[in-house]
Amino acid sequence: MTGTNTHYILTEWESETNTNELIVHLYTLPARNVFEQHNENGKACSDLRKLNKSHVIDFFEHLIASWQPIEHWGEYSFINHETRAIDVTISTERTILERLLLRTIENVQPRNEIAAGSRKFTWLKPEKVVQNISIHRVIQCDVNISAAGVISVGFDLNHSFRTSESVSDLMKAGAILKGDRVIDKYNNMHYEFDEVSGDTISDVVPELRQSVIDYFVKERKQAWKVDKLDPKMPVVYVKMYNGQRSAYAPAMLQKELTFESLPPAVVRQTSEVYKQNANLKIATLLEEIQNILRRTDKLQFSKRKLLVEQSGYDVTKIENPILSFGRNVTQPQPKYGLEKGGVAFGQPLAINLLVYPEFFETKLEAITAFNEKLCALSSKWGVPLTILKKSGAYKNKSIDFTNPHQFAILLKELKDTAFKELTLVIATEKIAGMWYDSIKKEFGGSAAVPTQFVTMETLQRADDYILGNILLGLYAKSGIQPWVLSSPLASDCFIGLDVSHEAGRHSAGIVQVVGKDGRVLSSRANTSTEAGEKIRNDTMRQIVYSAVDQYQRHYGEMPQHITFHRDGFCREDLNSLDEVMESLNVDYDMVEVIKKTNRRMALNVDRQGWETKQGVCYVRDNLAYLIATNPHPRVGTAQPIKIIKKKGSLSIEAIIHDIYHLSFMHIGSFLKCRLPITTYYADLSSTFFNRQWLPIDSGEALHFV
């Protein structure tokens, strides 16, 4: 870490171009429906691009910007036009220049090599194809302009998974369905597949008022996209994020796949592509982003600007915390601490087993051996474990345990009559997948009975490490605290805030209140349905009341200071929060913890190659980037988290220290967490709430671990 030949970088490149050097045409649009302004002005901008045969026109709020005068306005009009540099003191003007610069960078890429759009640059040629699934290199990019007029470009390297066959090919095989995710392979536009039309791509379609072929040949001047297509190819319709439909030639689309949906064989054969070590990933990323940026003449970059010291960051290294276990044992590693001292705060534990009935005939010996090893290890850790025998309540039932409807009715009976305690579910991987949602809803959401799943495949190869992780999950779901921090954090109390979005539902979840030793003081997840990303004032007040109440129950006094960790951007009304906290005479800090940063951090010592180091942090004013994990090279490259102090009295250094140490307090696993448990648990709890897997009052159980 020391030495004169250590180079630190952040994949955020400051341009040597100043905003004063960039002259733009700014048009002010007339006021329309304020609630529909974004959609209306977005459509106006799209139409103006078509009318003026230019892609480098963009908008934000009431402004439209371009490098050249916009000559053709069609049905639209403007009320003001200026040709000048933007005013960097106005956030709206900074944002529209950011968007215009990014669109400019996208527009100058070679279209036969790179699909540029939606802040992504995707290579058309796949890096690898396995079982008709292609993996494409993707660089995500964003442009930021500071209030001082400094322009910076942030970037990261990822991969996209999709079928190598087009949607047209998949249609012939019946392998594309309504609702499947599809992607326009030429410009990174993502859609939901809707239906196949009776029209062909040479027929006039209402949405375009012309044929798909004419649209690309005459209007978009992109004949190369359609000149080799069969004119009798049917038109397909896809849905955009706003619900509107768009007509497409299916040969332009590919089915998009998530990593989780990839067949295991594909994962094994392609891991060397998407799980790159730090040196390969950073070297590739730097080379490709330089190629991308040098194609535009609007921005100038110097290699020295990649060094974080050139951008005003201080580099610090945070030491790992020491953890406290039972019998006054302190240790930095949970596994060794538990072996020497056992759990910090234990109690006897009784659990039920819900076993796939067929196993009583075929796998009983393996289950018995597993139970004995689990109980022995738990006893060694200071937690007497009893396994209750309630299989008689279900194993002889004459139902089809793979029939979801019959199984759902059985679960209602079991949770009302027999299964009242923490339950370990044992099944095959396939059966566990079938049972998971039903059990979590009926046992967890309805009856407040925590459950943990273990597959027979895992059970049969369980060593001490696997057994230990299973026990930690069971302990977390029963209120047993295996370890705490040996030194107190800077704040008395922490609250993790998150808003979860799923299937049109939004919910705000607070993590169970965390004390200054990293312990979850209250595992009651206070959740309420929210209208959007912003947590309502009344919800925030209830969160504070609950946190203070739980702190007082535990410590017998009021907290002097509370730190809020907001997962993502803080849009809450802090003036309202000020009034609440001042009335309670409690100081507070509001901190944004952003897990998807579109940045990478790396260091290079004596030109030995790029690497990452856990605990390294870049700090500038009230902003920091932190590497909280350092995965093995075969797993991939560490992702930093972004920390922004929005308000409060603590130093940014104290805030970073607390966040890093709280990332060691994920008590449900030996694996260290990348995020502090405040935001990590808040995210999990609000997601569980949305899926109806979390009871309104979860007691002391961390159902979501």
Side-chain angles (χ1 to χ4, degrees):
M1 296 294 298
T2 59
T4 57
N5 295 318
T6 302
H7 304 278
Y8 299 91
I9 66 162
L10 175 70
T11 57
E12 180 179 271
W13 208 338
E14 282 193 5
S15 173
E16 296 187 319
T17 305
N18 192 278
T19 54
N20 290 329
E21 304 171 41
L22 299 173
I23 304 302
V24 297
H25 292 266
L26 287 174
Y27 298 88
T28 304
L29 295 177
R32 291 192 284 274
N33 185 342
V34 67
F35 299 106
E36 295 295 329
Q37 177 178 264
H38 183 81
N39 289 337
E40 289 180 353
N41 291 349
K43 183 179 184 305
C45 186
S46 177
D47 290 344
L48 290 173
R49 291 187 194 118
K50 297 173 186 176
L51 286 168
N52 292 273
K53 304 295 189 293
S54 171
H55 297 293
V56 192
I57 299 174
D58 220 314
F59 83 102
F60 185 67
E61 294 184 352
H62 60 287
L63 294 176
I64 281 186
S66 65
W67 302 116
Q68 301 297 327
I70 300 176
E71 297 179 355
H72 306 289
W73 284 83
E75 63 182 88
Y76 301 102
S77 62
F78 58 89
I79 58 176
N80 188 48
H81 170 224
E82 297 178 86
T83 304
R84 58 175 174 83
I86 66 157
D87 185 343
V88 294
T89 66
I90 302 175
S91 63
T92 300
E93 294 199 12
R94 294 200 304 271
T95 300
I96 197 169
L97 183 56
E98 290 169 354
R99 296 175 66 146
L100 187 64
L101 284 169
L102 186 56
R103 183 170 288 277
T104 301
I105 297 169
E106 293 171 350
N107 191 58
V108 295
Q109 303 309 312
R111 296 179 183 179
N112 60 339
E113 297 178 20
I114 296 175
S118 302
R119 302 174 182 265
K120 295 179 181 179
F121 302 85
T122 303
W123 274 251
L124 297 180
K125 182 180 178 180
E127 289 196 74
K128 195 167 186 177
V129 179
V130 176
Q131 295 184 10
N132 288 325
I133 294 174
S134 60
I135 301 180
H136 297 255
R137 178 181 295 164
V138 180
I139 286 184
Q140 293 178 280
C141 192
D142 60 67
V143 176
N144 292 285
I145 299 174
S146 72
V150 177
I151 304 170
S152 59
V153 178
F155 44 92
D156 190 14
L157 174 63
N158 291 290
H159 288 84
S160 169
F161 305 91
R162 60 188 73 173
T163 58
S164 55
E165 298 172 307
S166 71
V167 166
S168 180
D169 298 323
L170 296 176
M171 287 164 52
K172 297 171 185 175
I176 186 76
L177 301 173
K178 182 182 178 72
D180 283 344
R181 300 300 303 172
V182 294
I183 184 170
D184 181 333
K185 63 183 181 180
Y186 296 117
N187 64 6
N188 282 328
M189 296 297 291
H190 300 259
Y191 303 103
E192 181 181 299
F193 188 77
D194 193 31
E195 66 175 349
V196 180
S197 167
D199 297 319
T200 69
I201 60 173
S202 59
D203 294 330
V204 175
V205 294
E207 289 78 7
L208 299 175
R209 299 177 185 175
Q210 57 191 313
S211 71
V212 170
I213 291 177
D214 285 345
Y215 174 74
F216 284 100
V217 172
K218 298 177 180 178
E219 188 163 321
R220 299 298 297 272
K221 306 300 182 184
Q222 296 174 341
W224 57 275
K225 288 185 177 181
V226 294
D227 59 6
K228 294 182 181 179
L229 300 184
D230 181 355
K232 296 181 180 179
M233 178 181 292
V235 169
V236 297
Y237 284 97
V238 295
K239 281 186 180 179
M240 293 178 273
Y241 74 95
N242 59 7
Q244 294 182 350
R245 299 205 315 170
S246 182
Y248 256 95
M252 294 180 178
L253 301 169
Q254 291 172 303
K255 183 177 178 180
E256 193 172 18
L257 304 171
T258 63
F259 176 77
E260 292 74 19
S261 69
L262 297 179
V266 174
V267 172
R268 288 193 299 270
Q269 295 178 59
T270 57
S271 61
E272 81 280 1
V273 175
Y274 59 84
K275 290 185 176 180
Q276 297 175 340
N277 62 49
N279 188 48
L280 177 59
K281 191 176 192 102
I282 297 298
T284 303
L285 178 56
L286 293 181
E287 179 183 359
E288 296 296 358
I289 195 65
Q290 289 180 78
N291 291 335
I292 286 171
L293 294 178
R294 69 165 54 103
R295 295 184 178 114
T296 177
D297 59 358
K298 293 296 181 183
L299 299 174
Q300 300 297 321
F301 295 91
S302 167
K303 287 188 177 181
R304 65 184 178 85
K305 284 290 187 177
L306 273 171
L307 299 177
V308 295
E309 294 90 344
Q310 293 288 332
S311 301
Y313 288 97
D314 292 325
V315 181
T316 62
K317 174 69 167 67
I318 306 174
E319 297 302 319
N320 294 351
I322 301 299
L323 308 174
S324 290
F325 300 86
R327 298 193 286 273
N328 296 318
V329 169
T330 58
Q331 238 284 334
Q333 297 292 334
K335 188 174 186 299
Y336 300 126
L338 288 168
E339 288 177 358
K340 294 178 180 179
V343 302
F345 302 96
Q347 62 190 30
L349 177 62
I351 66 170
N352 286 315
L353 297 185
L354 179 57
V355 180
Y356 185 49
E358 181 182 298
F359 291 163
F360 289 113
E361 300 294 332
T362 62
K363 303 292 184 181
L364 184 58
E365 188 174 321
I367 294 172
T368 301
F370 168 80
N371 291 345
E372 291 173 353
K373 290 189 289 184
L374 197 67
C375 290
L377 184 58
S378 188
S379 178
K380 180 181 177 182
W381 287 359
V383 178
L385 176 62
T386 302
I387 296 179
L388 305 174
K389 302 184 183 300
K390 297 186 178 180
S391 61
Y394 68 88
K395 72 175 183 179
N396 295 320
K397 292 284 186 179
S398 58
I399 70 163
D400 180 357
F401 281 79
T402 65
N403 183 306
H405 310 295
Q406 295 182 24
F407 185 64
I409 294 173
L410 173 64
L411 289 178
K412 289 185 176 294
E413 177 187 333
L414 294 180
K415 60 101 173 175
D416 289 336
T417 58
F419 283 69
K420 305 289 186 180
E421 300 84 8
L422 170 61
T423 297
L424 184 63
V425 182
I426 300 174
T428 65
E429 186 172 344
K430 181 178 179 180
I431 296 296
M434 294 169 57
W435 284 4
Y436 194 88
D437 183 66
S438 296
I439 288 178
K440 288 295 183 182
K441 283 180 178 175
E442 199 62 53
F443 278 28
S446 176
V449 173
T451 55
Q452 181 159 330
F453 282 69
V454 60
T455 66
M456 178 54 66
E457 296 84 350
T458 298
L459 181 149
Q460 290 179 304
R461 58 182 176 83
D463 54 16
D464 278 357
Y465 186 81
I466 293 173
L467 290 167
N469 273 315
I470 293 171
L471 280 178
L472 290 177
L474 294 172
Y475 292 169
K477 292 169 181 174
S478 60
I480 293 172
Q481 187 76 31
W483 63 81
V484 294
L485 296 169
S486 64
S487 298
L489 298 167
S491 186
D492 294 329
C493 182
F494 300 83
I495 301 173
L497 297 169
D498 177 52
V499 176
S500 174
H501 308 268
E502 192 165 303
R505 296 186 297 271
H506 311 277
S507 71
I510 76 159
V511 68
Q512 298 67 2
V513 182
V514 176
K516 64 175 63 181
D517 61 0
R519 188 184 331 185
V520 174
L521 304 182
S522 164
S523 57
R524 180 177 301 162
N526 296 333
T527 50
S528 65
T529 301
E530 298 297 308
E533 182 65 31
K534 179 180 176 180
I535 301 173
R536 292 175 293 132
N537 292 344
D538 183 60
T539 302
M540 286 291 291
R541 286 193 290 269
Q542 295 303 320
I543 286 171
V544 172
Y545 302 156
S546 176
V548 171
D549 174 63
Q550 294 302 326
Y551 188 91
Q552 287 181 314
R553 288 170 186 255
H554 191 84
Y555 292 107
E557 61 183 15
M558 284 281 288
Q560 298 299 304
H561 186 279
I562 292 176
T563 296
F564 294 86
H565 287 164
R566 179 63 161 92
D567 187 335
F569 297 106
C570 174
R571 296 180 173 88
E572 285 67 46
D573 182 357
L574 297 188
N575 290 329
S576 175
L577 185 59
D578 286 344
E579 189 273 328
V580 174
M581 303 303 283
E582 288 172 5
S583 297
L584 296 173
N585 197 29
V586 177
D587 291 333
Y588 82 94
D589 276 69
M590 176 63 73
V591 179
E592 294 176 345
V593 181
I594 300 169
K595 56 180 176 283
K596 294 182 180 179
T597 64
N598 196 28
R599 303 289 189 277
R600 298 283 174 167
M601 298 164 60
L603 63 134
N604 189 319
V605 183
D606 294 323
R607 301 299 181 187
Q608 296 298 310
W610 297 107
E611 60 179 328
T612 57
K613 292 285 188 182
Q614 183 174 307
V616 170
C617 186
Y618 302 160
V619 184
R620 185 175 68 188
D621 301 324
N622 286 327
L623 163 69
Y625 288 94
L626 168 68
I627 296 179
T629 56
N630 195 30
H632 191 281
R634 68 171 178 265
V635 174
T637 307
Q639 293 188 59
I641 57 176
K642 186 177 182 179
I643 301 165
I644 301 173
K645 175 185 173 180
K646 296 291 290 185
K647 191 170 190 176
S649 57
L650 291 180
S651 68
I652 186 67
E653 290 78 14
I655 288 169
I656 299 164
H657 177 278
D658 285 355
I659 285 174
Y660 184 57
H661 282 201
L662 284 171
S663 72
F664 287 81
M665 290 306 299
H666 175 34
I667 59 172
S669 171
F670 284 135
L671 290 175
K672 183 192 173 299
C673 185
R674 185 171 72 94
L675 301 168
I677 59 167
T678 43
T679 57
Y680 181 54
Y681 285 1
D683 176 58
L684 291 174
S685 66
S686 55
T687 298
F688 265 54
F689 179 75
N690 264 346
R691 296 180 182 179
Q692 303 173 52
W693 295 347
L694 191 72
I696 294 175
D697 183 357
S698 56
E700 296 184 355
L702 301 181
H703 285 249
F704 44 80
V705 169

